Amino acid sequence: MLGRCRRTVLVCEAGPTRNARASALHAYLTRDGTPPAEFLRLAREDALKYPTVAIEQLEIVDARRGRSGFTVVTASGIELKCRKLLLATGVVDVLPPIEGLSELYGSSVHHCPYCDGWEWRDQPLAVYGRGDEGYGTALGLTVWSSDVVLCSDGPSALSNDQKEQLDSLGIEVLEGPVSRLDGRNGLLERILFADGTSLTRRALFLCLGQHQRSDLAARLGCRFNPKGAVDTGSCEATNVPGLYVAGDASKEAQFVTVAAAEGAEAGMAINRALLKEDLAQNRNSTPSRTSRGGPYAKSG
């Protein structure tokens, strides 16, 4: 969006993506089933069609706001200056320390039923979690399967009403400690418990929460909602002037298609804000060719 507005943009990429272990992304029109790495390749290809857009492998470790914009600092100590800053830093999902999980993660162990539930429709499914999150995920999975078990790996922290609701739907709650996940070729076969019993399942959905991948939003003074996401308003603007946050770091609906839409909204809002500043500046000075945004400044 900003490239199409002829704004000079630097995209700083670093670290693994949240869906790096997934075999495909879903619920994105025209791209359903696309491997995440392929989607990123296509996205970079599209963005780089615009001559004012650059993409670099840079890890940003600090950021501060000044009178004329922002200064971000790379891991190597280079300082980059910009008028507006958009964070799309995402979140990290919490994984339980269960033997065998790593080999199955992204293939038959997932987080989001909306993203992966369809592929496991009418199969025996399990939820790993407790409390409201475990309860809600177990209920949600009944859209895709009538055979759902909730494994809480210890006390379930469910209310009596929640237990009764799950029981009425035929959802068993197993509180025994989970010792291992067994499977082959990325496909879950059994959940093994510490008491020696096992449960045959085809897929497992985790709901242990998540945390911000980056602390940049906190460093810059952003407000957060009770769930730990950055609190954004219209077109992904934060309470910090000139700072925007798009994607999983800021919203409850954590889908690739939603993140893309938020990025487009943020791009439009950033262009409008820059245009307003440009017009105000041009009233007091002679217009220049760099008034559209200028190259990002580099020092250090």
Side-chain angles (χ1 to χ4, degrees):
M1 189 64 73
L2 287 167
R4 292 182 63 81
C5 293
R6 304 175 69 186
R7 299 292 181 183
T8 301
V9 182
L10 174 64
V11 179
C12 300
E13 284 192 315
T17 60
R18 184 185 182 192
N19 62 0
R21 293 287 298 272
S23 59
L25 61 87
H26 297 287
Y28 196 121
L29 289 175
T30 77
R31 289 293 180 264
D32 190 70
T34 302
E38 173 64 6
F39 180 82
L40 282 175
R41 186 191 69 78
L42 293 170
R44 294 187 189 101
E45 191 176 89
D46 281 350
L48 292 174
K49 292 176 182 177
Y50 300 93
T52 58
V53 176
I55 301 175
E56 294 189 20
Q57 294 296 314
L58 292 172
E59 180 185 0
I60 304 302
V61 297
D62 196 11
R64 56 185 182 270
R65 182 174 177 270
R67 294 178 60 183
S68 59
F70 297 86
T71 299
V72 298
V73 184
T74 70
S76 60
I78 295 174
E79 293 190 350
L80 307 171
K81 298 183 183 299
C82 57
R83 294 168 65 187
K84 307 295 177 188
L85 180 60
L86 170 61
L87 300 180
T89 45
V91 296
V92 176
D93 294 297
V94 177
L95 300 178
I98 300 176
E99 182 182 347
L101 185 145
S102 178
E103 293 83 352
L104 306 173
Y105 186 52
S107 298
S108 55
V109 176
H110 312 284
H111 294 280
C112 175
Y114 289 97
C115 299
D116 297 292
W118 168 261
E119 282 65 37
W120 300 105
R121 61 195 183 277
D122 300 323
Q123 297 295 313
L125 307 178
V127 174
Y128 183 98
R130 55 185 65 92
D132 291 342
E133 289 296 324
Y135 168 76
T137 303
L139 285 184
L141 278 175
T142 60
V143 171
W144 292 276
S145 175
S146 60
D147 186 357
V148 178
V149 173
L150 173 59
C151 301
S152 61
D153 199 7
S156 66
L158 297 172
S159 68
N160 289 332
D161 286 345
Q162 289 173 331
K163 291 178 181 178
E164 290 177 4
Q165 178 69 56
L166 294 178
D167 185 64
S168 70
L169 294 171
I171 299 174
E172 186 179 4
V173 179
L174 301 180
E175 295 186 317
V178 175
S179 62
R180 192 171 78 250
L181 302 182
D182 270 358
R184 288 179 295 178
N185 302 319
L187 300 178
L188 176 67
E189 295 178 348
R190 289 177 300 278
I191 300 173
L192 283 79
F193 297 88
D195 63 3
T197 61
S198 64
L199 175 70
T200 299
R201 297 286 98 175
R202 291 294 171 262
L204 174 66
F205 286 81
L206 307 172
C207 50
L208 294 183
Q210 55 196 219
H211 59 82
Q212 293 281 323
R213 180 176 293 277
S214 168
D215 66 351
L216 291 176
R219 285 172 179 259
L220 289 164
C222 286
R223 286 195 299 260
F224 290 80
N225 65 27
K227 292 188 175 182
V230 179
D231 189 8
T232 55
S234 176
C235 292
E236 315 316 313
T238 70
N239 60 294
V240 179
L243 178 65
Y244 302 77
V245 177
D248 293 356
S250 67
K251 288 291 188 296
E252 183 174 353
Q254 296 179 337
F255 307 124
V256 177
T257 187
V258 173
E262 290 174 1
E265 284 189 324
M268 178 186 67
I270 290 170
N271 178 65
R272 285 179 173 176
L274 289 171
L275 179 60
K276 184 177 180 180
E277 291 176 5
D278 292 343
L279 292 174
Q281 180 180 7
N282 289 345
R283 293 191 190 101
N284 301 313
S285 63
T286 302
S288 68
R289 291 182 63 84
T290 60
S291 64
R292 286 190 179 273
Y296 56 89
K298 182 180 293 188
S299 62

